[in-house]
Amino acid sequence: MGNNDMPINISDLFEQVGSGPSVSFSELVEQKKLELGITDFQMSKILGIPKNTFYRMTKRISEGDVESLDYFSIIKISQLFNLDVQDLTKTYVGSLNSEHIGQIEDARKANYILRTFDVKGLKDLNFISSITDFQHIENRIKSFFHLDSIFDYSHEVGRVLFSKLHNSNDKMRELWVRSAFFQFEKIENTNEFNREALLSLVKNIRPYTRYEEKGFLTVIRALFGVGITVIVQPSPPKAKVRGGTFVVNGKPCIAITDYNNNYATLWFALMHELFHVLNDLDQLKVLKYALTEDGAADLFLLQEEDADWFAREMLFPREFMNYIKHLINSPASVAKYAEEKRVHSAIIYSFFCYEANKEMGKNLYGLYQQYFGKTDIALRSLKTNPFDKESIFEEIELIKKRLTVGTN
């Protein structure tokens, strides 16, 4: 739709005429009447306005009261005087008092908020306390991202992300993506990305799954050291986002969610995204980011199945599963085998259910769910929720501290 997508920017129009137009609306009307040599009576006839109504209208205009003039009349006046509607609108706006300009601008801001944000979703996220107080919503968003204007959100928060490549109607998912990207930008990992170091690190991640309290944090810090920033933030409401890989300032970054509060899924999601870092980085530099969502189609032809295979093989190879699956109903046997293979038993149970579902169509997740483990302990010192903070910069400072080796 082009420029018609946006309502007239009243603030811009007002700025163009300064603190007021050089010629007021009433003065302009009088000038044009003299130039054309027409009387008020002729003008009322031409405009199709009853004489008494027209006289009252012209009296208000001459006194500077243009608020009551409807826009249809403005259009007719522009045609009568051969004026550009946009130019006439500027003059009209410049004749309004500050109170009315403020009301019009408030309406424009509300329009922007409704088109850009899922207001109900923000309320469900406890990010805002009201879905009708748009002044509150505007102030909350501006304060959170440190914006001078609510309209700055579109080009200052994740400005490079959304183009024809990424056209989503899910406003909460977009907020999640923009917020993650914004955090990566501000964290500014100064370590150079080292692919060879990452390859070596990936091969040694599995044993850390056994350390529920510090294992995940230790791995995230190690990844930070080889140039990959990883954050964990809640999944957007109603979405099934497990994670996403971003490229920020040329470096790979990963956002993981606590999807389903599943310990095994947490590690699986990380390994899945690391595959994309190792194998899809050139494509991601073009896309800027790609999300991994449960049940979602691969819109950008990334190697999703290969990423899943990689994650499973790195954490618990199929050959290991071929042995233990026959003893899966013996918790003691699973625990012993997990210790032997240096992996958390939750991953064994989760992968067993995944294989049963994929290969035999059996949904056994409910039967073994008690063994999957929770993410609470692993994420106690790492999980971030920027949306419950006054400012996203509070969260960024916390992340920086957590990613620093030796900081609890």
Side-chain angles (χ1 to χ4, degrees):
M1 294 177 63
N3 293 334
N4 291 330
D5 286 339
M6 286 290 289
I8 293 174
N9 188 331
I10 299 299
S11 291
D12 288 349
L13 290 179
F14 192 64
E15 288 173 6
Q16 290 174 29
V17 296
S19 59
S22 56
V23 178
S24 70
F25 190 84
S26 59
E27 290 171 336
L28 180 65
V29 170
E30 291 301 318
Q31 284 181 7
K32 292 299 180 180
K33 281 166 54 181
L34 289 173
E35 287 177 16
L36 296 176
I38 60 175
T39 65
D40 286 343
F41 179 74
Q42 288 174 307
M43 191 171 172
S44 71
K45 286 289 188 180
I46 295 170
L47 296 177
I49 301 174
K51 183 173 62 175
N52 292 337
T53 302
F54 179 78
Y55 286 151
R56 286 195 297 270
M57 183 184 79
T58 55
K59 185 176 186 298
R60 292 195 190 100
I61 293 174
S62 66
E63 293 173 351
D65 176 16
V66 299
E67 284 85 1
S68 56
L69 186 61
D70 64 272
Y71 202 72
F72 183 53
S73 296
I74 291 178
I75 294 174
K76 288 193 288 185
I77 291 172
S78 73
Q79 296 302 305
L80 173 61
F81 294 152
N82 194 28
L83 296 170
D84 180 80
V85 175
Q86 187 80 348
D87 290 338
L88 189 62
T89 301
K90 293 176 186 177
T91 304
Y92 172 78
V93 169
S95 297
L96 296 175
N97 63 44
S98 58
E99 179 183 351
H100 284 86
I101 288 178
Q103 291 175 6
I104 296 172
E105 183 66 359
D106 287 345
R108 190 174 77 95
K109 290 175 181 178
N111 174 275
Y112 176 82
I113 290 170
L114 290 170
R115 287 185 299 103
T116 308
F117 300 94
D118 179 346
V119 174
K120 185 178 183 303
L122 293 180
K123 179 68 164 56
D124 293 341
L125 199 62
N126 293 320
F127 183 75
I128 58 175
S129 59
S130 169
I131 62 173
T132 57
D133 185 348
F134 283 87
Q135 185 67 59
H136 155 68
I137 298 170
E138 176 194 352
N139 291 338
R140 178 73 174 103
I141 295 168
K142 285 169 55 181
S143 174
F144 184 70
F145 288 109
H146 292 198
L147 303 174
D148 293 328
S149 165
I150 186 65
F151 303 108
D152 290 339
Y153 172 81
S154 295
H155 60 267
E156 290 193 15
V157 181
R159 59 192 176 278
V160 303
L161 297 179
F162 293 92
S163 63
K164 292 180 180 178
L165 289 174
H166 296 284
N167 184 19
S168 172
N169 292 321
D170 190 327
K171 298 172 185 175
M172 290 305 294
R173 182 187 281 103
E174 181 174 328
L175 175 66
W176 186 89
V177 170
R178 284 182 183 269
S179 298
F181 191 90
F182 189 83
Q183 291 174 74
F184 293 136
E185 280 189 310
K186 302 304 179 184
I187 290 170
E188 292 184 301
N189 189 343
T190 57
N191 298 304
E192 291 299 319
F193 172 57
N194 188 327
R195 189 176 188 278
E196 294 304 314
L198 174 60
L199 281 169
S200 298
L201 195 158
V202 163
K203 296 174 183 177
N204 294 293
I205 285 179
R206 184 197 308 154
Y208 289 92
T209 66
R210 293 188 56 79
Y211 304 102
E212 292 185 32
E213 185 175 354
K214 295 291 185 180
F216 198 77
L217 176 60
T218 301
V219 170
I220 298 309
R221 285 175 173 169
L223 290 170
F224 190 75
V226 300
I228 304 171
T229 304
V230 180
I231 65 172
V232 183
Q233 66 177 14
S235 181
K238 300 179 183 178
K240 297 180 179 180
V241 177
R242 293 173 180 260
T245 303
F246 299 69
V247 175
V248 182
N249 297 326
K251 296 180 183 178
C253 301
I254 294 173
I256 301 293
T257 73
D258 56 346
Y259 184 63
N260 284 344
N261 192 20
N262 185 314
Y263 185 72
T265 299
L266 181 71
W267 285 99
F268 183 89
L270 176 63
M271 299 301 286
H272 178 107
E273 301 305 330
L274 287 174
F275 173 89
H276 289 314
V277 172
L278 288 167
N279 297 280
D280 297 318
L281 195 56
D282 288 340
Q283 190 174 359
L284 285 165
K285 285 179 180 178
V286 176
L287 297 173
K288 305 302 181 186
Y289 79 95
L291 301 184
T292 301
E293 302 184 64
D294 207 17
D298 178 18
L299 298 178
F300 303 115
L301 303 179
L302 296 184
Q303 306 171 72
E304 293 301 302
E305 290 189 5
D306 289 343
D308 285 346
W309 177 87
F310 174 84
R312 294 186 64 244
E313 288 299 303
M314 288 295 101
L315 291 172
F316 196 69
R318 186 178 294 272
E319 61 183 271
F320 292 178
M321 183 61 72
N322 289 338
Y323 169 79
I324 196 60
K325 65 182 179 182
H326 303 292
L327 301 170
I328 200 69
N329 289 320
S330 171
S333 298
V334 172
K336 182 179 179 181
Y337 194 66
E339 183 178 4
E340 177 185 331
K341 297 303 180 183
R342 304 178 71 194
V343 69
H344 197 285
S345 58
I347 292 173
I348 298 178
Y349 286 109
S350 180
F351 285 9
F352 171 78
C353 292
Y354 174 82
E355 284 190 7
N357 187 52
K358 186 174 182 180
E359 297 176 4
M360 295 177 287
K362 294 183 178 180
N363 187 342
L364 303 178
Y365 287 100
L367 188 62
Y368 295 96
Q369 188 174 9
Q370 60 182 311
Y371 300 112
F372 290 167
K374 304 294 183 182
T375 62
D376 302 11
I377 296 176
L379 299 181
R380 184 176 297 159
S381 58
L382 184 64
K383 180 181 178 182
T384 63
N385 183 4
F387 307 112
D388 65 1
K389 308 293 190 304
E390 285 298 315
S391 165
I392 195 171
F393 287 90
E394 292 180 38
E395 196 67 27
I396 291 167
E397 289 305 312
L398 287 174
I399 294 170
K400 285 182 177 180
K401 292 179 180 178
R402 291 162 180 160
L403 292 178
T404 303
V405 177
T407 302
N408 292 325

